Amino acid sequence: MTGKDVEQRHEDQLKGSSDGGGIKGYLLHRAKPYLPPWLGTGAVAISGAAANLVWEGDTGMGVLLTLGSVTLTGSTWWAARATGKERRLHSAITVAAGSSWFTSAALFGPSWDMWFVGGIVTALSWNIRQIMRRDPDGAKTASTDGGLMEKIGLAKAKMGQARVEPNRVTVPIALEAGTQTNDDMAKALGNVASALDVPATAIRYLPNPDSARRGELVIVPMDMLADTVRWEEVGPSLPGGSITDPLVIGVYDDGSPLLLWLPGDPEAGRNATNVLIAGMTGAGKGDGALNLMTEILSRKDVIFWLNDPKGFQDFRHLLPGIDWATDATGTETMAEAVLPTVQARTAWLGRHGYRQWCIKASVTQTDTAHTCRSDGTACGCPGMPYLVVWFEEAGVGLSVLGDDAFNNISNLARSGGVGFVVSLQRASHDQLSTTTRDALGTRICFGVQNSTAAGFMLPDSVIDAGAAPERWANRRPGYCYLVTPGVEEARYSSPGRTRWFTPTANSLMEAVAAWAARNGAKPDPVTASAAAKAVGKAYTERARHQEENPKADDEDEETTVSRLDDEDLDIDPREELPPAKPGEENVIFDQGDGRELSKEEARTALQEIVAEFEMEGTMVIGVVDVMEHAARFGRKRGWVSGELQQMLQEGRLAVTAKPGRYRIVPAMADA
């Protein structure tokens, strides 16, 4: 009978006859649910008195009745094992008391006083239990858990009224005060998944930040990520939109979009962010990067810099839309250009009254509230688009730069309207410094090998809530967790999946790149000037890629950018070379024509070599690079090291994040 039928019957009873017959019928109907315990008590009395007439004084039957009483009590205890502890104990005590009285009555005669008192107490105890089972007030806030909490070892925890959404069930949990905490619930999530027979990743627990024993259990019964979605089927989410609009990189397991923002928004209470992407080989990190990269390139107010030691293996079709792209030979150069560029952009924003980059900063400054003129009139300065700097396979670059090379960049980038993206396989401390990792507020964590690797990417609270990327490792490419400002924290432990790039996506990727090259933002004077001042021709004569596919037998057209020379394997570039020994700096070498270079001539030759490096676009050098031209200046390493130090003091060179490496200051930097 449904609840509606019961309500209708109750309504009919209330509207029924009010004469003596109607009242008697109503009372009898209301009493029916409570009659079984009283009928049972009466049946015991009648059967006990009848048995006394047959077996009074029969010793053998007494033994059998006693054994039967014990057996019946034990059977009751065993049969009630699936019920609650209180009901099991109540049932066993009732059967034991009734069978004991029956045995005594059959052998020695009924003890009516004991039957009267014991029967009334027993029957009333079951009536009270039945009354208390119906709790109208409690029904509003709590619902039966079907024994779930007992199965997972939290029997005294209470489950509230479930909130059902499409492919998502949220159940409030109140743990027992004083004995259970949210940590106990987090540890039991595997047992919950087992009890409900769902994948472990379908269960997560969201603690209430204002309570140590309350939270929400979230159950996603159907994995909507199992069906792979091709990127070319949907393409960029908002072509021609702003970088301030959300970037859609996939979907969550309940079907909602996987979103992130790079710039901040004070009105929305969202901070600007940098991004850390990590995942083991085969986990889908490359496709995830393409999802984010195509979203960025399809926006109108952003410029893009990319360093990829793999030689653009995954990103070649997007190169025409990228303002500056370098391979492994340009890692040091780009890293050295970023920090002064960030500082220049931050200074520009400050002069124009911006506390952080916003969409107004990307257009011509005609608003008097954002003028750099002292008289308060509109300055008309060109706008400054948002800048994204992306280091792909950063573990390779950091092996050259040092694990703390990104510290200053990651800490300052957001204030200059720069989104700093670092992508690598494992964000461990031996590859990426803790300082840098902590400054990369957005985490996109694909499958990893173990929980230790997951701990490098995800906060403890997210892992405690049920996030476990090691469960799928690289068996489910594209599965990931996203931790980012602007998304409610309840989403952090929900798995998502980025879209899949296939060879059929190449033409659409090329279309995105062509649109970005023709219609996207161009480098603003502040950004271009800062980069040129830092690394000279390495930026001003950076590679230019065709917007359309060249002929089949041609390579992408680009201007030549020279490569940084590899380190000698037997030299530790982190260590300074020993200073020249007395007299060693004056050693003169025969140049092959019988003429020897003087000290001044050798110094001039060294300066010419540095100038040649600059002309070629090689802006980061060390002693080992210069020594490849040793025949031209005829000096040993100690002399070269001292001369480079002298150039450092003179301002021709600048220090880099890695000891022993120097950035060439462009000769026309001041101009």
Side-chain angles (χ1 to χ4, degrees):
M1 183 176 294
T2 65
K4 184 176 181 180
D5 295 333
V6 173
E7 293 178 2
Q8 184 62 44
R9 187 178 67 179
H10 183 62
E11 185 70 19
D12 293 341
Q13 290 173 348
L14 293 176
K15 293 181 179 180
S17 173
S18 60
D19 56 15
I23 294 174
K24 184 186 297 183
Y26 173 75
L27 293 176
L28 181 61
H29 174 75
R30 299 294 292 178
K32 283 180 182 179
Y34 305 99
L35 290 179
W38 298 97
L39 296 176
T41 300
V44 170
I46 295 172
S47 60
N52 178 256
L53 298 177
V54 181
W55 297 322
E56 184 175 11
D58 189 336
T59 304
M61 185 54 67
V63 174
L64 292 176
L65 289 175
T66 301
L67 291 175
S69 177
V70 173
T71 302
L72 185 60
T73 302
S75 299
T76 303
W77 179 262
W78 175 83
R81 68 188 185 283
T83 63
K85 294 180 180 179
E86 296 84 358
R87 185 179 184 87
R88 189 181 191 187
L89 184 62
H90 195 181
S91 301
I93 291 175
T94 299
V95 172
S99 59
S100 297
W101 187 90
F102 176 84
T103 300
S104 175
L107 298 176
F108 309 110
S111 175
W112 297 112
D113 291 340
M114 184 178 293
W115 171 83
F116 182 77
V117 175
I120 291 177
V121 171
T122 301
L124 285 176
S125 69
W126 281 99
N127 288 163
I128 292 172
R129 184 181 183 89
Q130 189 168 8
I131 292 172
M132 297 305 294
R133 189 181 298 123
R134 296 201 306 270
D135 183 6
D137 295 331
K140 297 177 181 178
T141 58
S143 61
T144 178
D145 60 10
L148 174 63
M149 304 310 291
E150 183 179 4
K151 292 178 182 177
I152 65 173
L154 301 173
K156 295 185 179 180
K158 303 297 182 183
M159 299 180 68
Q161 187 67 39
R163 184 172 70 253
V164 180
E165 304 169 84
N167 198 37
R168 185 183 179 96
V169 179
T170 305
V171 184
I173 300 292
L175 301 166
E176 184 183 20
T179 62
Q180 298 171 347
T181 67
N182 287 328
D183 289 339
D184 297 320
M185 188 65 205
K187 294 175 182 177
L189 291 182
N191 295 335
V192 175
S194 175
L196 299 178
D197 194 20
V198 296
T201 53
I203 304 294
R204 38 209 175 256
Y205 181 67
L206 310 177
N208 186 330
D210 299 325
S211 174
R213 68 179 188 92
R214 296 182 184 274
E216 292 184 331
L217 183 67
V218 179
I219 306 166
V220 180
M222 179 170 48
D223 184 5
M224 299 185 69
L225 306 179
D227 295 331
T228 304
V229 177
R230 297 172 182 262
W231 174 79
E232 59 268 26
E233 294 177 0
V234 290
S237 64
L238 191 62
S242 171
I243 192 64
T244 59
D245 296 316
L247 307 174
V248 182
I249 62 173
V251 295
Y252 284 106
D253 58 353
D254 62 358
S256 55
L258 194 63
L259 307 176
L260 67 87
W261 291 259
L262 293 177
D265 185 352
E267 295 182 1
R270 186 185 71 248
N271 293 324
T273 187
N274 300 317
V275 182
L276 175 60
I277 306 173
M280 64 184 296
T281 301
K285 180 170 62 69
D287 280 1
L290 283 170
N291 275 273
L292 180 56
M293 197 176 292
T294 51
E295 284 289 291
I296 294 171
L297 290 175
S298 66
R299 305 304 168 91
K300 64 182 180 181
D301 47 10
V302 59
I303 51 181
F304 199 102
W305 292 357
L306 170 66
N307 173 255
D308 182 9
K310 294 193 302 183
F312 320 115
Q313 181 180 10
D314 295 328
F315 312 123
R316 182 159 298 277
H317 297 284
L318 296 175
L319 287 178
I322 296 175
D323 176 60
W324 186 17
T326 60
D327 57 16
T329 64
T331 301
E332 288 180 296
T333 300
M334 181 172 285
E336 287 301 316
V338 174
L339 185 58
T341 300
V342 169
Q343 293 170 334
R345 290 170 61 91
T346 302
W348 186 92
L349 290 170
R351 289 195 303 270
H352 289 83
Y354 294 103
R355 298 190 62 184
Q356 62 176 295
W357 188 92
C358 62
I359 195 170
K360 290 182 179 180
S362 66
V363 298
T364 302
Q365 302 301 291
T366 58
D367 188 349
T368 56
H370 297 288
T371 180
C372 60
R373 292 181 177 177
S374 58
D375 60 4
T377 59
C379 61
C381 291
M384 187 173 68
Y386 193 76
L387 172 63
V388 172
V389 179
W390 188 306
F391 281 82
E392 181 65 19
E393 294 296 346
V396 177
L398 288 170
S399 66
V400 176
L401 300 171
D403 60 3
D404 60 351
F406 293 155
N407 287 354
N408 291 334
I409 297 174
S410 59
N411 284 316
L412 298 176
R414 295 183 304 147
S415 62
V418 177
F420 186 49
V421 182
V422 176
S423 176
L424 39 66
Q425 291 189 12
R426 181 181 172 92
S428 53
H429 59 81
D430 59 333
Q431 293 204 50
L432 191 69
S433 74
T434 303
T435 300
T436 299
R437 188 167 64 235
D438 290 346
L440 302 174
T442 291
R443 310 289 178 85
I444 307 177
C445 181
F446 292 86
V448 295
Q449 289 182 328
N450 49 52
S451 58
T452 301
F456 291 132
M457 286 293 294
L458 300 176
D460 292 342
S461 59
V462 177
I463 294 176
D464 291 342
E470 70 276 10
R471 287 180 181 147
W472 57 65
N474 59 0
R475 293 183 295 275
R476 297 183 180 180
Y479 276 59
C480 63
Y481 290 101
L482 174 63
V483 176
T484 186
V487 174
E488 57 181 359
E489 294 185 8
R491 284 286 188 189
Y492 290 174
S493 58
S494 299
R497 190 173 193 179
T498 57
R499 295 183 175 92
W500 183 31
F501 281 72
T502 67
T504 59
N506 292 344
S507 59
L508 184 54
M509 291 169 62
E510 292 168 354
V512 170
W515 181 92
R518 297 182 181 120
N519 307 302
K522 300 299 184 289
D524 58 283
V526 174
T527 301
S529 175
K533 186 175 181 179
V535 296
K537 291 185 176 181
Y539 178 74
T540 58
E541 297 184 6
R542 59 198 180 279
R544 305 293 184 180
H545 298 267
Q546 291 182 339
E547 293 184 12
E548 298 178 358
N549 284 333
K551 296 180 181 179
D553 56 348
D554 291 337
E555 297 291 337
D556 285 354
E557 290 185 2
E558 56 184 54
T559 59
T560 301
V561 176
S562 64
R563 303 193 172 200
L564 296 175
D565 297 317
D566 295 333
E567 298 283 359
D568 286 350
L569 297 178
D570 60 340
I571 298 176
D572 186 352
R574 294 173 295 183
E575 296 183 2
E576 288 286 349
L577 291 172
K581 295 179 181 180
E584 184 179 48
E585 65 276 6
N586 294 320
V587 175
I588 307 300
F589 289 83
D590 182 12
Q591 302 304 303
D593 57 358
R595 186 178 63 86
E596 297 178 346
L597 291 179
S598 67
K599 181 178 179 179
E600 290 72 19
E601 289 175 329
R603 180 171 294 171
T604 300
L606 178 61
Q607 292 172 345
E608 291 175 352
I609 291 170
V610 172
E612 289 175 5
F613 276 125
E614 179 185 354
M615 290 293 293
E616 294 172 355
T618 302
M619 302 302 292
V620 180
I621 62 173
V623 174
V624 64
D625 305 291
V626 177
M627 289 304 298
E628 292 183 1
H629 304 272
R632 295 173 56 184
F633 51 79
R635 293 295 186 272
K636 293 185 178 181
R637 291 177 182 271
W639 181 86
V640 173
S641 179
E643 287 298 312
L644 294 183
Q645 288 289 329
Q646 181 64 30
M647 290 185 178
L648 180 64
Q649 296 176 6
E650 295 172 353
R652 184 65 172 107
L653 300 179
V655 295
T656 68
K658 189 171 184 178
R661 304 293 290 176
Y662 304 93
R663 175 173 62 84
I664 300 175
V665 177
M668 297 298 291
D670 293 336

